[in-house]
Amino acid sequence: MKIGNIDLGERPVMLAPMEDVTDPSFRLICHEQGARMVYTEFVSSEALVRNIASTARKLQIDDRERPVAIQIYGREPEAMVEAARMVEAAGPDLIDINFGCPVKKVAGKGAGAGMLRDIPKMLSITEAVVKAVSIPVTVKTRLGWDCENKVITDLGPRLQDCGIAALTVHGRTRSQMYTGEADWTLIGELKADPRMEIPVIGNGDVTTPERAAEVFEKYGVDGIMIGRGAIGATWIFHDVTQYLEKGEWTPLPDAEKFSLIRRQISESIGRIDEYRGILHVRRHLAATPLFKGLPDFRQTRIRLLRAETAAELEQIICEIEERYFG
């Protein structure tokens, strides 16, 4: 699969953009584990053009994580165009436009998935951004606003006509948020549409190697994105890519998984500071499948998620490792 001149190989698996999750350290680890392309957190076009420091920091990328995409969102064409030019100057391999974020503070203001209620404006913004930069521009969106308005099979070719280089579709509507199961049926229909000449990438509920192989085979997509399935489990890219290449997979040893978690903690603290770095990594500790199903784990889990220093956190992790994995 190629996006512009970026060759991602056959059946690539990519890290989906996630706010407060896909920071530089997390992206690099996922890349090392097998993610063919990684995406930054959402970058607000309005905040970027106003030179908000916290937003500008999201443009920082590491050459070791390439190919990497910076994702932008917004509702005003002028701001999106200016932001796209600023992002291009930061040196990513491509720019992705977020027309899929369902959260109220984004979609409720007409950006992200909110654009699914104003298709003409969505198309206008897409065309303007494509014309404003020289690197590939892609789009990530959803099936539609709600179950009565699943527009993706009509919308896909229209976005392609705007000049985008690839289209990613999350198999839910905005109204679904992240509830229920992702529906890949319409993604498959879009991919099968003879009008579609650009890569179609599917996203939603890929949490196992077997499911990854299934969606490739059943729906014919060119690539897949993994989002929430990677939180607390960066090694999912190792498992999935190995299964896709060999038809079988060997899980990473538990010791290596612990090492990856410790690295996330250390690099999160190093990037921010001890207190906020630990707060940032807590969602990974809460979500990791490494700790799922451990007997009598409730009190340990509470301690784990309440730890406020690196030393305290390391002590608890050592206890878990010795008690359950020793």
Side-chain angles (χ1 to χ4, degrees), residues 302-317:
I302 292 172
R303 289 173 55 219
L304 183 74
L305 299 181
R306 288 180 177 175
E308 296 185 352
T309 68
E312 182 183 4
L313 198 51
E314 173 61 19
Q315 181 181 346
I316 297 168
I317 290 174

Side-chain angles (χ1 to χ4, degrees), residues 73 126 154 188 267 270 310:
Y73 74 91
T126 303
D154 174 66
E267 293 182 357

Side-chain angles (χ1 to χ4, degrees), residues 74-101:
R75 62 181 180 180
E76 300 302 332
E78 297 80 6
M80 287 289 283
V81 164
E82 185 176 349
R85 290 174 175 148
M86 295 172 70
V87 166
E88 182 179 30
D93 297 281
L94 64 84
I95 295 172
D96 189 64
I97 304 176
N98 179 336
F99 290 141
C101 179

